[in-house]
């Protein structure tokens, strides 16, 4: 006979006749206790499941927001679809809405206590979204360098979110386990009460006691074992449902709750795997430590950039990542070390920083490593192009102005000699008019080559403009400048360019002989000397004359 078909109150009432009052009390008490447990089971399931789903949804919203900001926004911009941030804004507002709902529900479960982490998350997501929009706008508007700088901040803030969201997910999981443990305790107390009632009933009727033990104790013990199994992480475990009584209903509810927990846990694992995929597939090297500075995460990019195996990085430790412990220590202490370092023929951008929990307790440290060798090479090429004359290969006017300012200041401050030689090609217009501009260009190129060959390596050779050239001679007095000018004149006169003879006229000015430590004034004096050389018949140099002294002030 399957007595589980009958309600517990009916079985006790029918089975226990003497004393009647005891049986009524036993039935009522058993009913109330069971109903209380049922409500607690449903409440624990609903509250904790809701919080867990909200915490999981926050992680999904963040991933979708990051995806739209880094990929979809730019694709929309290319298709001219209107608001390029519509998708990201939707997930941004959804994130804030879910965060507010999580906060209200959390306050309800914690007697109105506000979690400070939620305020931090709300603040950080505003900054994260703003940084992402500025990054996307920079790439859309072809401000690549700015975009990459903002992307670094964007990625760092995304990583920071991982550390903020993980405690929420872990806390809800731990809360669910704690609630399960509380439920186990409640069931244990119910079991103890039922056992006590059974002992009293056994005095009245051994048969009723045997039936109660058979119909109540075994399902409760089975459920307790199932709860313990689930509390260890085996969410797939199910309690057998036997009969149609309250315990079978409890078993059904418990099985449903375990299934929901399994789905939630699977979702959390899936999100964790997504984050791990992002880290492991990132082009930047990422190394993370625990609070004891033991390395706990190394992605493949870090192995590639550092030229070390995973085992070598673990064995060397965090401070030996780039074989310079002082450099990593300076990063962790906030001493503002250089952002780049040359390591194994690479230029690496290294950022390392400790991170702390909400109580300012050290949690660990992380290093972000990026190869910027090509960027630096391009930067050097652009810098060289910006100060080099494309036709002659000499420095251009911009380089001359900057260098001359520096050299004049150095000569004035330390009382050094400084000379300037300005010259142009005689009758250059004739080359262009008679032989064409291509021939004129070849003449200028030949003059530039001879200029670099004749003058010293430390002299700064520049194309001043058109057929004019200028040379800065640091540490050279007027006599040395005159010798250099004459040698240059003679070397160029000896040249033959495509069967054509070339001559130049030169103006020379020297400091401190000229008495003026001013770039514009020295250039003007050299230009006047050049004019005198041309006026005197060309193919010669002239030394700038001292400016006349100012007239005396009138008396009275």
């Amino acid at each position: 006979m399957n007595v589980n078909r009958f309600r517990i109150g009916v079985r006790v009432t029918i089975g226990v006749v003497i004393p009647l009052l005891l049986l009524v009390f036993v039935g009522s008490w058993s009913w109330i206790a069971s109903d209380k447990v049922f409500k607690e089971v449903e409440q624990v399931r609903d509250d904790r499941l809701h919080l867990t789903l909200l915490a999981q949804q926050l992680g999904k919203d963040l991933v979708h927001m990051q995806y739209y900001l880094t990929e979809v926004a730019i694709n929309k911009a290319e298709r001219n679809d209107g608001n390029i941030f519509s998708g990201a804004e939707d997930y941004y507002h959804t994130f804030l809405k879910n965060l507010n709902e999580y906060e209200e529900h959390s306050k309800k479960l914690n007697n109105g206590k506000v979690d400070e982490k939620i305020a931090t998350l709300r603040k950080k997501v505003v900054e994260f979204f703003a940084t992402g929009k500025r990054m996307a706008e920079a790439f859309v508007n072809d401000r690549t360098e700015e975009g990459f700088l903002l992307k670094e901040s964007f990625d760092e803030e995304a990583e920071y979110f991982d550390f903020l969201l993980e405690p929420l997910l872990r806390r809800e999981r731990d809360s669910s386990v704690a609630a399960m443990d509380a439920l186990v305790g409640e069931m244990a107390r119910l079991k103890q009460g039922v056992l006590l009632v059974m002992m009293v009933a056994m005095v009245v009727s051994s048969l009723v006691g045997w039936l109660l033990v058979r119909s109540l104790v075994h399902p409760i013990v089975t459920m307790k074992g199932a709860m313990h199994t689930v509390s260890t992480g085996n969410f797939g475990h199910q309690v057998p449902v036997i009969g149609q009584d309250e315990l079978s209903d409890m078993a059904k509810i418990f099985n449903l709750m375990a299934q929901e927990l399994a789905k939630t846990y699977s979702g959390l694992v899936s999100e964790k795997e997504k984050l791990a995929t992002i880290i492991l597939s990132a082009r930047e090297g990422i190394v993370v430590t625990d609070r004891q500075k033991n390395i706990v995460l190394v992605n493949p990019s870090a192995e590639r950039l550092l030229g070390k195996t995973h085992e070598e990085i673990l064995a060397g430790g965090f401070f030996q990542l780039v074989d310079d412990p002082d450099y990593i220590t300076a990063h962790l202490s906030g001493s503002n070390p250089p952002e780049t370092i040359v390591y194994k023929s690479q230029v690496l951008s290294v950022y390392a920083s400790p991170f702390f929990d909400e109580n300012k307790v050290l949690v660990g440290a992380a290093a972000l490593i990026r190869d910027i060798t090509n960027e630096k090479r391009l930067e050097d090429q652009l810098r060289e192009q910006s100060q080099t004359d494309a036709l002659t290969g000499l420095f251009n006017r911009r380089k001359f102005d900057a260098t001359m300012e520096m050299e004049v200041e150095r000569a004035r401050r330390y009382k050094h000699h400084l000379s300037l030689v300005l010259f142009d090609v005689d009758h250059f217009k004739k080359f262009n008019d008679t032989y064409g501009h291509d021939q004129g260009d070849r003449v200028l190129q030949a003059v530039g080559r001879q200029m670099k060959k004749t003058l010293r390596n430390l002299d700064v050779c520049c194309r001043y403009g058109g057929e004019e050239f200028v040379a800065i001679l640091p540490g050279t007095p007027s006599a040395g400048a005159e010798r250099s000018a004459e040698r240059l004149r003679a070397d160029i006169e000896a040249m033959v360019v495509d069967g054509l003879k070339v001559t130049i006229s030169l103006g020379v000015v020297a400091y401190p002989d000229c008495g003026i430590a001013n770039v514009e004034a020295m250039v003007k004096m050299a230009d006047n000397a050049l004019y005198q050389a041309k006026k005197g018949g060309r193919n010669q140099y002239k030394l700038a004359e001292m400016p006349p002294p100012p007239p005396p002030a009138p008396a009275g």
Side-chain angles (χ1 to χ4, degrees):
M1 179 181 181
N2 185 8
V3 297
N4 295 99
R5 293 179 300 170
F6 302 100
R7 310 298 289 180
I8 295 176
V10 174
R11 297 203 304 266
V12 173
T13 302
I14 293 176
V16 180
V17 179
I18 300 172
L20 179 61
L21 293 178
L22 177 61
L23 293 178
V24 172
F25 170 76
V26 169
S28 301
W29 178 84
S30 300
W31 177 268
I32 293 173
S34 299
D35 187 66
K36 178 182 178 182
V37 172
F38 299 155
K39 291 179 178 179
E40 289 180 355
V41 170
E42 294 176 348
Q43 189 66 36
V44 168
R45 181 198 64 187
D46 294 340
D47 290 343
R48 291 304 172 188
L49 181 59
H50 188 60
L51 275 180
T52 303
L53 291 174
L54 282 175
Q56 179 184 0
Q57 187 61 41
L58 289 176
K60 292 180 177 180
D61 291 340
L62 181 63
V63 171
H64 286 126
M65 192 191 315
Q66 183 179 9
Y67 170 79
Y68 272 89
L69 284 172
T70 54
E71 297 293 337
V72 176
I74 295 178
N75 292 336
K76 281 188 175 183
E78 294 175 351
R79 297 193 304 268
N80 297 318
D81 286 343
N83 184 6
I84 64 173
F85 298 109
S86 59
E89 288 175 350
D90 291 342
Y91 282 106
Y92 169 68
H93 294 305
T94 302
F95 184 97
L96 292 178
K97 176 183 176 183
N98 290 335
L99 187 62
N100 291 335
E101 184 176 355
Y102 182 93
E103 182 180 25
E104 292 299 320
H105 213 69
S106 179
K107 287 169 61 177
K108 176 182 176 183
L109 293 181
N110 293 279
N111 298 321
K113 183 178 179 181
V114 179
D115 191 344
E116 295 180 357
K117 289 182 179 179
I118 298 177
T120 302
L121 271 173
R122 185 178 289 109
K123 177 181 178 182
K124 289 297 182 181
V125 78
V126 174
E127 298 175 358
F128 177 76
F129 183 69
T131 301
K133 286 185 68 176
R134 288 190 288 113
M135 176 197 70
E137 289 172 348
F139 281 115
V140 169
N141 295 309
D142 295 327
R143 300 195 304 271
T144 307
E145 182 176 358
E146 178 185 352
F148 278 119
L149 290 175
L150 289 170
K151 186 176 185 302
E152 290 182 14
S153 300
F154 185 70
D155 292 342
E156 290 170 2
E157 290 175 5
E159 293 175 5
Y160 183 68
F161 264 108
D162 296 343
F163 298 117
L164 286 178
L165 285 176
E166 177 61 23
L168 290 180
L169 299 175
R170 185 172 60 250
R171 183 178 66 185
E172 296 308 327
R173 184 177 64 248
D174 294 341
S175 298
S176 298
V177 174
M180 295 288 294
D181 291 339
L183 181 59
V184 171
E186 195 70 21
M187 291 299 299
R189 289 191 291 273
L190 176 62
K191 184 190 72 172
Q192 293 172 359
V194 172
L195 287 175
L196 178 61
V197 171
M198 289 174 61
M199 291 176 62
V200 174
M202 285 177 62
V203 177
V204 180
S205 174
S206 59
L207 178 61
V208 172
W210 179 77
L211 290 174
L212 289 176
V213 170
R214 179 183 176 185
S215 61
L216 295 178
V217 175
H218 178 69
I220 292 175
V221 172
T222 301
M223 184 169 291
K224 177 184 177 182
M227 290 179 178
H228 178 73
T229 300
V230 172
S231 68
T232 61
N234 184 7
F235 298 112
H237 187 75
Q238 296 284 292
V239 178
V241 178
I242 302 175
Q244 301 174 356
D245 60 0
E246 295 88 344
L247 292 177
S248 64
D249 294 341
M250 187 183 299
K252 294 176 182 178
I253 295 172
F254 177 84
N255 290 340
L256 179 61
M257 182 175 65
Q259 292 172 2
E260 294 298 329
L261 286 175
K263 293 179 181 179
T264 301
Y265 181 75
S266 176
L268 293 176
V269 171
S270 176
E271 293 302 318
K272 181 179 180 181
E273 291 174 349
K274 290 179 182 178
L275 294 176
T277 300
I278 293 174
I279 292 174
L280 294 177
S281 61
R283 295 178 58 187
E284 294 78 9
I286 300 173
V287 181
V288 181
T289 75
D290 57 18
R291 66 181 70 241
Q292 285 78 35
K293 297 295 189 299
N294 297 318
I295 296 177
V296 296
L297 185 148
V298 178
N299 72 345
S301 292
E303 299 180 48
R304 174 177 54 81
L305 293 175
L306 297 175
K308 300 178 181 179
T309 64
H310 186 275
E311 291 73 18
E312 289 173 339
I313 295 175
L314 293 180
F318 192 71
F319 291 94
Q320 290 290 344
L321 287 179
V322 292
D323 302 332
D324 189 349
D326 294 338
Y327 181 72
I328 300 299
T329 300
H331 270 286
L332 297 182
S333 62
S335 301
N336 295 323
E339 294 182 359
T340 60
I341 184 174
V342 178
Y343 181 76
K344 294 183 178 179
S345 301
Q346 302 175 100
V347 181
L348 300 181
S349 172
V350 180
Y351 176 79
S353 175
F355 50 91
F356 304 86
D357 62 14
E358 67 277 7
N359 298 318
K360 307 299 182 182
V361 177
L362 179 67
V363 175
L368 184 67
I369 306 167
R370 192 163 63 91
D371 184 0
I372 61 171
T373 304
N374 291 333
E375 297 175 27
K376 282 295 182 182
R377 185 180 298 113
L378 178 60
E379 181 181 327
D380 292 340
Q381 291 174 352
L382 291 175
R383 185 183 299 110
E384 182 179 352
Q385 291 173 4
S386 70
Q387 61 187 16
T388 303
D389 177 62
L391 178 63
T392 63
L394 302 178
F395 289 121
N396 59 17
R397 175 70 176 271
R398 179 185 300 174
K399 176 65 173 178
F400 167 76
D401 291 338
T403 305
M404 191 62 183
E405 287 285 355
M406 180 180 63
E407 292 296 340
V408 167
E409 176 62 23
R410 180 183 293 117
R412 183 192 62 78
R413 177 176 299 179
Y414 299 108
K415 299 183 173 15
H416 290 170
H417 290 285
L418 174 65
S419 293
L420 184 69
V421 177
L422 179 67
F423 68 93
D424 68 3
V425 179
D426 295 331
H427 304 295
F428 182 72
K429 186 175 184 300
K430 183 181 68 174
F431 289 104
N432 283 335
D433 294 343
T434 305
Y435 303 104
H437 289 281
D438 289 342
Q439 182 62 53
D441 288 346
R442 287 194 291 274
V443 168
L444 294 177
Q445 290 171 341
V447 170
R449 288 194 297 270
Q450 187 60 51
M451 182 182 182
K452 292 179 66 176
K453 182 177 179 181
T454 299
L455 298 181
R456 303 171 301 176
N457 289 335
L458 61 86
D459 296 331
V460 181
C461 301
C462 308
R463 183 184 179 191
Y464 196 66
E467 71 273 21
E468 287 189 310
F469 296 82
V470 64
I472 304 172
L473 282 59
T476 304
S478 59
E482 289 185 83
R483 287 194 298 271
S484 296
E486 174 58 24
R487 186 167 60 252
L488 178 59
R489 184 204 63 77
D491 289 345
I492 291 180
E493 183 183 19
M495 289 191 322
V496 176
V497 182
D498 298 334
L500 303 175
K501 299 290 291 183
V502 181
T503 62
I504 61 174
S505 298
L506 308 93
V508 181
V509 63
Y511 177 83
D513 297 352
C514 65
I516 301 175
N518 177 276
V519 174
E520 184 177 354
M522 290 183 70
V523 172
K524 184 173 180 60
M525 292 179 69
D527 189 56
N528 290 336
L530 171 60
Y531 175 77
Q532 294 299 322
K534 286 187 174 294
K535 186 176 179 182
R538 295 184 172 83
N539 193 23
Q540 59 181 293
Y541 76 87
K542 289 292 184 181
L543 181 64
E545 298 179 355
M546 287 284 292

